[in-house]
Amino acid sequence: MINMKKIAAEKACEYVENGMIVGLGTGSTAYYATCRLGELVQQGMGLTGVATSKDTEKLAMEMGIPMKSLDEVKQIDLTIDGADEVDDGLNGIKGGGGALLREKLVASFSRQTSWIIDESKLVAEIGQFPLPVEVVPFGHLQTATMLEKLTGEPADLRLRGDGEPFVTDNQHFIYDLSIGRIQEPKRLHAALVELPGVVETGLFIDMADRVIVGRADGTVDVISRQDLSYNRRK
Ligand code: 5RP
């Protein structure tokens, strides 16, 4: 069976050039990209990685990729990360793996961002995937009430397997919002981050320059933002 995540990840690594500072994403798709970049380093390519999570940092170090923190670099040349859902304007939901805050910071300081997904994640309108919202633990039940009031839908505290709250690398909690179709993601994001206690949302708007889609038939499509604006002008 074709591993759609792996073929997308390996295609994304073709855009990496010697000497680049590369943002390393989090999740099961980004895993393959970090492994491939590790192979490239072992073959002599000069790269520096900036991780979006502790898990990715550990994997990258095991793969022999020289690492720096976000504060140690001026800019990141290219970030390769996964996504949970992507619409045809290349806006997406991220944070299924709980790394949304670091992922958004790293992407924000990247000259280019590539998302790698399997074809099931391409959707007409985002929102079927529950939207992760990172919140501070202090008063989080009150924050959850505000989230529910704002969206009119339940906010579910993300739990670990043992029933305890999932805690992010930044020591925050995550609420997953089952909103359904999100027609105005920019407006929703702005309203959510206004709520006291909310640190970040999993709405990533206008952030991906390129989405690389692995398909079940073994092909890989590259959709770039440039092509979108060209097509819209026509
Ligand atoms: C982690 C993320 C991931 O990139 C996203 O959840 C996709 O994960 P996967 O590649 O495992 O499907 O945003 O916070």
Side-chain angles (χ1 to χ4, degrees):
M1 208 167 74
I2 300 289
N3 186 335
M4 295 182 269
K5 296 183 177 194
K6 188 164 187 260
I7 56 177
E10 292 185 348
K11 179 74 186 171
C13 294
E14 291 177 13
Y15 294 83
V16 176
E17 292 168 19
N18 195 41
M20 275 189 169
I21 297 178
V22 184
L24 305 176
T26 296
S28 58
T29 318
Y31 164 87
Y32 291 112
T34 303
C35 290
R36 176 70 190 133
L37 292 174
E39 282 171 13
L40 293 174
V41 167
Q42 284 155 30
Q43 289 161 17
M45 193 183 249
L47 293 180
T48 304
V50 176
T52 54
S53 64
K54 290 182 183 167
D55 283 349
T56 298
E57 174 123 52
K58 184 169 173 280
L59 172 67
M61 283 165 67
E62 282 165 10
M63 294 301 299
I65 302 174
M67 298 298 290
K68 284 195 171 168
S69 73
L70 185 55
D71 284 330
E72 288 173 310
V73 298
K74 281 214 174 76
Q75 202 178 29
I76 293 167
D77 295 300
L78 169 64
T79 286
I80 302 174
D81 202 352
D84 297 301
E85 259 184 359
V86 183
D87 70 18
D88 53 16
L90 305 194
N91 295 317
I93 290 182
K94 286 181 50 52
L100 60 152
L101 177 54
R102 293 192 185 196
E103 289 173 333
K104 199 173 275 189
L105 273 162
V106 168
S108 301
F109 289 96
S110 300
R111 282 199 306 115
Q112 286 184 61
T113 295
S114 295
W115 283 347
I116 45 179
I117 58 170
D118 66 61
E119 62 184 352
S120 70
K121 293 176 171 178
L122 267 186
V123 296
E125 250 171 355
I126 53 176
Q128 285 312 310
F129 190 91
L131 174 65
V133 175
E134 186 155 344
V135 307
V136 295
F138 180 83
H140 69 96
L141 294 176
Q142 310 301 350
T143 306
T145 305
M146 290 189 275
L147 289 170
E148 291 184 340
K149 244 191 197 157
L150 181 81
T151 64
E153 301 293 341
D156 296 317
L157 179 63
R158 191 179 295 184
L159 301 176
R160 300 188 310 216
D162 63 3
E164 289 300 310
F166 173 89
V167 178
T168 69
D169 283 351
N170 316 290
Q171 307 303 313
H172 298 136
F173 291 167
I174 289 185
Y175 276 88
D176 291 301
L177 311 184
S178 299
I179 302 178
R181 294 166 57 200
I182 299 174
Q183 283 165 311
E184 295 186 282
K186 246 185 200 164
R187 191 180 283 202
L188 178 62
H189 170 79
L192 289 168
V193 291
E194 282 241 317
L195 296 177
V198 170
V199 180
E200 191 49 271
T201 84
L203 285 167
F204 282 55
I205 303 154
D206 294 337
M207 294 194 95
D209 299 289
R210 189 184 293 124
V211 176
I212 300 177
V213 189
R215 297 196 180 274
D217 63 5
T219 60
V220 179
D221 282 343
V222 179
I223 310 167
S224 76
R225 185 167 294 280
Q226 268 174 342
D227 299 340
L228 287 187
S229 40
Y230 173 72
N231 287 332
R232 281 194 182 135
R233 275 201 306 273
K234 277 202 296 189

